Amino acid sequence: MRASAPLVAPSILSADFTRLGEELRAVEAAGADWHHLDVMDGHFVPNLTFGPLVVAAARRASSRFLDVHLMIADPLTYGLECAKAGADLVSFHYESTAHVHRVLAALRGAGVQTGLALNPATPVEVLGPVLNYVDLVLIMSVNPGFAGQKFIPETPDKVRRLKKFLDGHTGRAILIEVDGGVSADNARDLAEAGADVLVSGSQIFGAPDYREAVAALKTRTSGP
Ligand code: DX5
Ligand code: ZN
């Protein structure tokens, strides 16, 4: 369990792209901590979004931490492009490449923090050999591809297993992020299970009051 509230990272996937700069400022003013940018290629996932150009635009519009989530078949090429475009952290999917170590090392070399994302069916134990190269683990709580999907209820258990696994394997802090279907209904469970960062698209950008929506995800737990 964690004593402090989790960080909240609104996913711009659900923002109004005609006013992206304003939307970024609005969620910042509402208490959000990071910006989460979902890059999809229509191959690794059945949806297509945006690439480094929009990462660069977000960089110009905000000085906040840019958390880029690649759901693409070529994380090496475009991960490096996103690093150049101003990302602070680049996550890619364990399932998207045979060369997980190579991509992590290349991203480190490019000066960005690294994240490894796990699909719902991927066990946390696959992380073992590459933990030294990872700053954040992203647990998908839906199948990646679309905003507004239903939260997979086994996720808090998976987060608990990950927390235990990380505690047993590393001397340094590796953040746990959860992404997909996160809402006020599951935020407390996730925080208590060990989540450090909660991503939310539709629950924040679809809410009439961004401040209330962000606050609803920042539940404090009583843990140590
Ligand atoms: C899903 C994306 C998520 C998504 C979250 O593939 O990675 O970041 O935008 O949206 P909600 O919070 O609406 O599930
Ligand atoms: Zn995401």
Side-chain angles (χ1 to χ4, degrees):
M1 284 212 297
R2 63 201 322 287
S4 54
L7 300 178
V8 171
S11 164
I12 67 163
L13 202 53
S14 298
D16 178 350
F17 273 72
T18 64
R19 305 183 296 108
L20 185 57
E22 274 171 56
E23 291 275 70
L24 295 178
R25 282 187 288 281
V27 288
E28 287 172 12
D33 301 283
W34 292 3
H35 296 299
H36 183 84
L37 282 70
D38 287 309
V39 176
M40 305 187 193
D41 66 353
H43 291 282
F44 179 66
V45 289
N47 193 11
L48 190 60
T49 58
F50 54 78
L53 194 79
V54 170
V55 176
R59 180 73 299 158
R60 290 196 300 277
S62 172
S63 55
R64 288 290 176 94
F65 193 90
L66 295 185
D67 167 31
V68 174
H69 176 193
L70 301 178
M71 288 159 272
I72 64 177
D74 183 356
L76 181 58
T77 304
Y78 299 107
L80 293 175
E81 289 294 318
C82 288
K84 246 190 266 166
D88 291 291
L89 181 144
V90 175
S91 292
F92 64 98
H93 275 257
Y94 172 81
E95 306 83 3
S96 68
T97 172
H99 303 291
V100 170
H101 177 275
R102 176 184 292 162
V103 179
L104 288 169
L107 290 172
R108 275 276 170 88
V112 279
Q113 294 184 42
T114 57
L116 201 52
L118 303 183
N119 276 342
T122 303
V124 301
E125 288 76 15
V126 301
L127 294 162
V130 291
L131 277 180
N132 286 343
Y133 303 86
V134 170
D135 299 301
L136 172 148
V137 179
L138 194 172
I139 296 291
M140 289 305 304
S141 36
V142 298
N143 287 293
F146 299 94
Q149 301 183 78
K150 195 175 159 304
F151 183 79
I152 295 173
E154 289 82 5
T155 307
D157 280 344
K158 187 171 183 181
V159 171
R160 249 183 294 279
R161 280 203 306 283
L162 173 60
K163 178 84 183 148
K164 218 169 145 195
F165 184 75
L166 294 179
D167 287 348
H169 284 75
T170 62
R172 72 197 170 92
I174 295 179
L175 294 178
I176 301 177
E177 180 175 48
V178 180
D179 184 7
V182 172
S183 72
D185 294 338
N186 49 46
R188 172 176 284 271
D189 267 9
L190 290 169
E192 285 183 351
D196 301 293
V197 187
L198 298 179
V199 175
S200 171
S202 50
Q203 290 294 312
I204 294 178
F205 286 106
D209 183 331
Y210 291 175
R211 177 168 291 279
E212 265 176 35
V214 171
L217 302 181
K218 283 191 172 262
T219 51
R220 278 172 199 284
T221 61
S222 50

